[in-house]
Amino acid sequence: MSTDIIRADGVTKRFGRFVAVDRIDYGLRENEVSGIIGSNGAGKSTLFNLLTGYCAPDEGVIHYRGQDITRVTPQERVARGITRTFQLTSAFDNLSVVDNLVLAFFRAHRQPSLLRLLINRRKRHRDAEQIGETLQTFGFDGIRDREVKRLGLGEKRRLEIAMAVLSEPKVLLLDEPLAGLAESEIKGVLDVLRRRRGLQAILIVEHKISHLQDLVQRLTVMHEGRIIADGTCEECLSDAAVRRSYWQIDVAAGREAVAP
Ligand SMILES: Nc1ncnc2c1ncn2[C@@H]1O[C@H](COP(=O)(O)OP(=O)(O)O)[C@@H](O)[C@H]1O
Ligand SMILES: [Mg+2]
């Protein structure tokens, strides 16, 4: 489909004889905010890795803006605008929030040299502005100089997203960005994602649907390597196959739980 910014056609990924992703067709539209949910082992992270280039499909093709990127490296995909968040490595632990953002900015924009940047004052100003804006948008104004190792998990998740966003991605992919977070931290992460709506396509992979309902425009449900439902959250939750296969689904508080 021409409106899909990134799409997988007939992708299969096997680990030995085990089929983790089984002939999946999946497309993400320009600027769409979409979610993929499914029980543990459904193949969500494997599909995520196929889209981001961290594993290659045994069968099938992946297109990005009409080009075949099936064999394109993860680094090259990032350069073309497909960015995933990463858990911060320990290397950045001793650096402050703002230093991490500056590093992410340099890395993304591939500045030929720091010297050139320093002598280009106008550009420097603009860069500083972008970092300043990011600090504000992501709620880091009060903790800009705090070392990463002193951040809470929710603040780290927000920093990971902020660093990804500085590369100005066309597609932003997040694998379980809410995992392990307390309710108040989840709200903070959802807030920053909400603020990114319409600025690029966003794909969020989560174990459970709770919290995604107010964020995503479209939901896809995976089960045993296949897509079993795709549509609005309501459509997916009322789908017979979802009710049958994905009975652990966690329906938002106040609603009837989906029984096995
Ligand atoms: N590198 C790997 N080697 C062998 N098996 C794997 C590997 N990665 C994933 N799997 C298996 O593939 C299935 C799907 O895994 P995954 O995509 O991580 O599921 P999900 O993210 O939905 O929990 C699981 O059964 C998992 O054990
Ligand atoms: Mg996973």
Side-chain angles (χ1 to χ4, degrees), residues 43-54 84-85 173-175 203 205:
K44 306 180 300 293
S45 293
T46 305
L47 177 60
F48 186 92
N49 289 336
L50 291 169
L51 293 171
T52 51
Y54 284 82
R84 64 181 290 180
T85 52
L173 301 109
L174 306 99
D175 193 1
L203 175 60
V205 169

Side-chain angles (χ1 to χ4, degrees), residues 60-219:
V61 187
I62 295 163
H63 281 98
Y64 172 64
R65 301 173 110 187
Q67 287 187 317
D68 184 340
I69 58 155
T70 314
R71 306 284 149 188
V72 167
T73 63
Q75 293 75 16
E76 177 57 24
R77 290 186 205 204
V78 173
R80 294 191 196 183
I82 308 167
T83 301
R84 64 181 290 180
T85 52
F86 270 101
Q87 298 206 320
L88 296 169
T89 62
S90 54
F92 299 113
D93 253 22
N94 291 321
L95 291 181
S96 67
V97 168
V98 67
D99 286 344
N100 270 282
L101 291 176
V102 169
L103 272 181
F105 185 86
F106 281 147
R107 213 174 34 217
H109 294 265
R110 293 186 172 173
Q111 298 298 341
S113 78
L114 280 177
L115 183 64
R116 194 159 145 203
L117 194 84
L118 288 171
I119 49 184
N120 189 342
R121 305 189 92 217
R122 232 175 49 222
K123 174 141 180 42
R124 209 170 126 202
H125 183 67
R126 207 177 62 220
D127 295 349
E129 223 168 77
Q130 198 168 350
I131 301 283
E133 265 172 32
T134 308
L135 284 165
Q136 202 174 22
T137 310
F138 286 80
F140 291 135
D141 270 339
I143 53 168
R144 51 170 287 152
D145 296 316
R146 191 172 298 173
E147 287 173 341
V148 166
K149 65 181 170 210
R150 306 204 188 287
L151 296 181
L153 192 56
E155 291 165 335
K156 278 191 185 174
R157 288 279 161 78
R158 279 191 279 131
L159 180 57
E160 286 158 12
I161 298 168
M163 288 167 70
V165 159
L166 277 173
S167 72
E168 295 170 17
K170 303 238 171 1
V171 181
L172 177 64
L173 301 109
L174 306 99
D175 193 1
E176 302 214 19
L178 309 177
L181 299 187
E183 278 299 317
S184 58
E185 296 173 320
I186 286 175
K187 188 183 170 305
V189 171
L190 291 175
D191 278 349
V192 301
L193 289 174
R194 232 171 253 126
R195 264 177 241 143
R196 295 298 307 175
R197 272 201 291 218
L199 299 174
Q200 73 292 284
I202 301 180
L203 175 60
I204 304 163
V205 169
E206 273 294 330
H207 175 49
K208 300 188 287 189
I209 190 176
S210 41
H211 306 295
L212 287 194
Q213 276 161 311
D214 296 333
L215 181 68
V216 302
Q217 295 160 296
R218 180 161 70 107
L219 193 69

